[in-house]
Amino acid sequence: MSGVPAPPSPPVAIRRAALDALAREPFDVLVVGGGITGAGVARDAALRGLRTALVEKDDFASGTSSRSSRLVHGGVRYLEHGDLRLVFEASHERRLLRMLAPHLVRPLAFTWPVYAGARIARWKLAAGLTLYDALAAFRNVARHERLSAAGVLRREPRLLSDGLRGGARYWDALTDDARLTLATVRSAIAAGATVVNHARVTQLVREGDRVAGARVRDELDGGDLQLRARAVVNATGPWSDDTERLAGATAASAVHGSKGVHILVPRERIGNEAALTLLTPHDGRVFFVLPSGDFAIVGTTDTFESVSPDQVRASASDVQYLLDAANHFFPSARLTREDMITAWAGLRPLVASDAHADDPGAVSREHAVTERVPGLVRITGGKLTTYRVMARDTVDAVQRSLGGRVTRARTAESPLAGGGLADPLEAIGAATVLTHDAAVASRLVHAHGDEWRDVWGLTEREPELAERIEPSRPYLMAELRWAVENELAFTLADLLVRRIPIAFETRDHGRAAARRVAPLIAACLGWDAARVGAEIERFDAEVERLFAIT
Ligand code: FAD
């Protein structure tokens, strides 16, 4: 049989079929960008019955959508700027997303301590949180609760006690941003969309005045194709000015990138019991200390940035700002750079405006849908939390651009992929019985929702898949196989950065894990020895780009 190429593995064959479909079929709408926004637009459009394609130049959520604070929240901070409409909308979306993906969007209690002389005094906080409850129509997990200083310290014993006047407890929700994006992408596919990652739009093609398709480059296997679509959505977040230029548009910039940095440290070093909302001692900005399993995440910064979104990184001063803020409120932590496991940065794609040109924190997080070039509908701004509403407004604009009737998709009723779990806690109990490992059980259910049994089922046929990828982390080999076969993972970074967050949680950013798992997934993806070496190099370059500190 020498000389006869082996048939492609099933995931590769499925990807090639999708690329063929992109080149062959005319689409009603092409969505460019596979962050949370593009994923939501593709799902909404496909559910409305539009022939929908989505292409993503790298991986789903490889941009801002895997670098957020991972909160699905009403945005208590926006009350200060009088953004009541946004808080109302986001609070409604928080409740909906808890229903559509209960495994991925989980309630989280925040403690907000108030110190003497704080910018937001106790009475102001109480008034704000009452309004916050009201804007959620009093349908949040529970109403906020006022706390005395002793009550705050009972909840967070290692918190700074000097000057503490009291505080409050309120509720928001925590998510896994990359997996929320992936669940939305998979739901779009289930609704009929043709979706390909590692496929970059290099040119937007016009027919007369109107954008009518795109040239797309396959970033994995090489090759270009031409795609025909009656309308194109620019959902490329911080890249969206560049994408607009691909259609020959020369208009002024419509997106203003604001960099946000987070750091991850072992939770035992800070000692926070749950989530905290704090005001930095340096400039009084709101920042969070968030629990994430064995870790605490501290973030974020908020500074305008002009560097390309492909190159955005945390700087030494960003990191120091966050360490100082955490040390101020948790004096016994005495965190240094050596305690930090990872730092990463993302770019908020804010709607450019002349107002607040020197204060990114004050720029509205509302979204804007525009069509400056006929046939090219652009969505900018917004938040992870409000992506479903952003998608609806965008597809409305697409339908108007196509000259048709504006219809509605049932995006608020159909659960996202994995979202059919009635009771995640009960599922974790069942998973613990099967896996004999409470941490693994919790991970399986929270990451995979009602599909957790299918992931675990892989270990029944191949018991070695029940091993952990990294002894200290609760991620199973079975998740790698599942991701390759069901979650469109094609590179080591797709696997170890976004499907499974090992790169965020290990000091070597997953480099050792990548070397261990590459030969194991090679067979599933048809990699020969040379390709395994090249994929490891590609992974090293990607984690350097994501996690190196400038
Ligand atoms: P992106 O996720 O950046 O997606 C754009 C995609 O387009 C990228 O994947 C990119 O690769 C792709 N692309 C670019 N060019 C091309 C091309 N030519 N061809 C094909 N694909 C292309 N929101 C919340 O609700 N809660 C939070 O807690 C929260 N915290 C945040 C914290 C930080 C530090 C930041 C930066 C943001 C935060 N946000 C939060 C906001 C939220 O993360 C963003 O609004 C959201 O992720 C933006 O998603 P997007 O899809 O618009 O952009």
Side-chain angles (χ1 to χ4, degrees):
M1 294 289 285
S2 68
V4 179
S9 65
V12 173
I14 291 169
R15 182 170 187 278
R16 287 192 189 155
L19 283 162
D20 286 347
L22 292 185
R24 195 181 54 239
E25 289 169 20
F27 289 91
D28 293 318
V29 55
L30 164 67
V31 183
V32 189
I36 192 70
T37 309
V41 171
R43 174 172 180 256
D44 187 308
L47 284 170
R48 289 193 208 196
L50 296 173
R51 290 167 302 175
T52 304
L54 181 149
V55 293
E56 160 56 50
K57 75 177 168 68
D58 186 338
D59 185 24
F60 310 116
S62 57
T64 309
S65 299
S66 57
R67 330 242 190 114
S68 77
S69 301
R70 307 176 186 172
L71 298 177
V72 168
H73 60 166
V76 69
R77 191 176 77 73
Y78 310 131
L79 292 177
E80 273 199 277
H81 303 293
D83 257 340
L84 303 194
R85 210 197 65 79
L86 178 62
V87 175
F88 174 74
E89 185 171 83
S91 304
H92 180 252
E93 289 304 302
R94 178 184 58 200
R95 196 168 66 81
L96 261 183
L97 285 171
R98 284 187 47 221
M99 293 191 294
L100 300 179
H103 59 307
L104 281 174
V105 182
R106 299 181 278 139
L108 182 65
F110 283 73
T111 300
W112 183 322
V114 178
Y115 290 86
R119 184 169 61 77
I120 299 173
R122 282 183 82 191
W123 70 266
K124 205 169 167 189
L125 179 64
L129 290 176
T130 303
L131 181 58
Y132 202 52
D133 288 339
L135 289 169
F138 300 103
R139 292 169 85 181
N140 198 355
V141 178
R143 293 186 190 187
H144 83 276
E145 209 182 310
R146 290 182 77 161
L147 298 174
S148 63
V152 170
L153 292 174
R154 255 196 311 280
R155 290 180 195 286
E156 293 290 347
R158 286 176 62 183
L159 196 63
L160 175 72
S161 57
D162 284 359
L164 183 63
R165 291 286 181 264
R169 189 168 100 118
Y170 71 96
W171 291 85
D172 264 317
L174 185 68
T175 191
D176 173 333
D177 48 8
R179 292 202 72 88
L180 184 65
T181 304
L182 181 67
T184 308
V185 163
R186 292 182 62 212
S187 303
I189 295 171
T194 303
V195 176
V196 183
N197 52 354
H198 303 286
R200 176 195 297 268
V201 166
T202 53
Q203 196 192 337
L204 290 167
V205 180
R206 291 206 196 203
E207 266 172 24
D209 268 0
R210 206 175 154 82
V211 170
R215 282 204 73 75
V216 177
R217 182 186 308 139
D218 178 355
E219 296 280 2
L220 282 187
D221 298 323
D224 285 280
L225 62 88
Q226 181 125 347
L227 185 153
R228 284 169 298 151
R230 294 169 62 222
V232 174
V233 171
N234 175 0
T236 53
W239 287 265
S240 60
D241 282 337
D242 297 339
T243 306
E244 226 47 24
R245 277 179 217 116
L246 294 177
T250 50
S253 166
V255 68
H256 206 165
S258 152
K259 181 169 80 161
V261 170
H262 290 91
I263 59 172
L264 182 124
V265 293
R267 179 125 149 237
E268 61 192 19
R269 290 288 293 106
I270 293 196
N272 60 309
E273 296 292 326
L276 290 112
T277 307
L278 299 158
L279 304 178
T280 64
H282 180 68
D283 51 15
R285 284 188 48 253
V286 169
F287 79 105
F288 300 116
V289 175
L290 302 166
S292 176
D294 301 337
F295 304 104
I297 295 177
V298 183
T300 169
T301 61
D302 201 345
T303 48
F304 281 131
E305 178 65 74
S306 53
V307 73
S308 150
D310 289 301
Q311 298 303 331
V312 62
R313 284 180 177 164
S315 70
S317 60
D318 294 327
V319 166
Q320 199 54 51
Y321 173 91
L322 295 173
L323 289 171
D324 288 347
N327 282 333
H328 177 84
F329 289 106
F330 288 89
S332 62
R334 295 197 190 87
L335 296 171
T336 66
R337 276 277 292 264
E338 279 60 51
D339 295 304
M340 191 183 78
I341 296 168
T342 337
W344 65 92
L347 268 191
R348 300 174 185 86
L350 304 181
V351 176
S353 88
D354 292 336
H356 314 299
D358 52 354
D359 180 8
V363 176
S364 167
R365 269 47 175 173
E366 296 273 3
H367 61 275
V369 179
T370 52
E371 186 180 1
R372 287 183 183 164
V373 181
L376 180 60
V377 174
R378 170 186 191 152
I379 164 83
T380 32
K383 298 182 57 61
L384 194 76
T385 305
T386 50
Y387 84 90
R388 205 190 55 86
V389 179
M390 295 161 62
R392 184 197 62 204
D393 293 351
T394 307
V395 183
D396 285 357
V398 166
Q399 287 187 315
R400 278 194 293 271
S401 174
L402 293 177
R405 206 164 52 87
V406 173
T407 58
R408 273 287 169 267
R410 296 173 71 82
T411 55
E413 284 94 38
S414 26
L416 296 179
L421 269 188
D423 183 352
L425 282 182
E426 196 178 289
I428 292 171
T432 308
V433 172
L434 278 182
T435 59
H436 306 291
D437 185 331
V440 165
S442 168
R443 158 69 189 179
L444 282 179
V445 170
H446 286 144
H448 302 282
D450 60 17
E451 295 177 320
W452 76 266
R453 279 182 192 279
D454 302 317
V455 182
W456 177 250
L458 298 171
T459 69
E460 283 156 12
R461 288 191 294 283
E462 292 178 58
E464 62 278 13
L465 294 180
E467 281 170 30
R468 288 180 175 217
I469 301 169
E470 183 77 47
S472 64
R473 311 298 318 130
Y475 311 119
L476 297 186
M477 290 290 187
E479 288 194 70
L480 295 170
R481 172 69 63 78
W482 177 262
V484 170
E485 290 180 351
N486 300 282
E487 294 180 343
L488 300 103
F490 292 101
T491 71
L492 289 165
D494 294 357
L495 288 164
L496 300 176
V497 180
R498 291 168 291 272
R499 307 299 179 282
I500 304 167
I502 281 183
F504 286 87
E505 297 175 357
T506 52
R507 288 184 186 275
D508 72 348
H509 309 308
R511 288 182 174 89
R515 280 151 180 79
R516 262 196 318 279
V517 308
L520 303 177
I521 59 163
C524 307
L525 289 171
W527 295 348
D528 59 15
R531 178 79 184 262
V532 167
E535 291 294 334
I536 289 173
E537 266 178 40
R538 182 209 288 255
F539 178 81
D540 287 350
E542 182 154 351
V543 293
E544 176 70 16
R545 180 172 66 79
L546 289 174
F547 301 116
I549 295 169
T550 55

